[in-house]
Amino acid sequence: MTEKEQLCYLINGVLNGSYDIKVFCTEFTRIYDLEIDYEQLSEQENSEFGELCEMAGRFSDDIEELKIPNMYFSENEIIERAKDVKRKLEFLF
């Protein structure tokens, strides 16, 4: 499975409940930041995956942290962004 396929697999998994949000965030960030060859991604794929990766890297389930504006992202925000990425890149899924 390519790294791009792994990212799609993770998105599908978190959306269907197969992956816990913390596992999703850790694995998605690891693959996108450390393993993927960005030249293998289209501009749109890079933009969509990159934004989701940034959000995943700033996930928090702490109520107090989530009160800090523009710092952390909740599970719901990440799930909604994952849905948006899947919709925009539907040709990959």
Side-chain angles (χ1 to χ4, degrees):
M1 187 180 306
T2 67
E3 286 82 7
K4 188 188 314 188
E5 290 169 335
Q6 289 175 39
L7 295 176
C8 293
Y9 184 83
L10 285 168
I11 290 171
N12 282 328
V14 77
L15 293 179
N16 71 23
S18 299
Y19 281 104
D20 172 77
I21 190 69
K22 289 180 182 179
V23 172
F24 168 79
C25 290
T26 300
E27 290 301 305
F28 195 90
T29 303
R30 179 185 59 80
I31 292 168
Y32 185 80
D33 281 347
L34 302 175
E35 296 181 11
I36 202 153
D37 178 0
Y38 301 114
E39 292 181 9
Q40 299 297 316
L41 299 176
S42 70
E43 188 175 318
Q44 182 184 19
E45 292 165 347
N46 204 7
S47 174
E48 297 298 329
F49 288 144
E51 186 175 323
L52 181 55
C53 181
E54 183 178 331
M55 291 178 74
R58 294 168 47 200
F59 165 71
S60 179
D61 57 1
D62 182 290
I63 300 298
E64 292 305 311
E65 286 182 346
L66 291 170
K67 290 179 182 177
I68 302 169
N70 303 315
M71 181 64 72
Y72 297 102
F73 292 94
S74 68
E75 178 176 358
N76 287 341
E77 290 172 309
I78 292 170
I79 294 294
E80 288 304 311
R81 183 68 185 116
K83 288 177 184 176
D84 194 40
V85 169
K86 185 173 180 177
R87 183 182 55 76
K88 288 180 178 177
L89 301 177
E90 64 184 338
F91 56 89
L92 293 178
F93 294 84

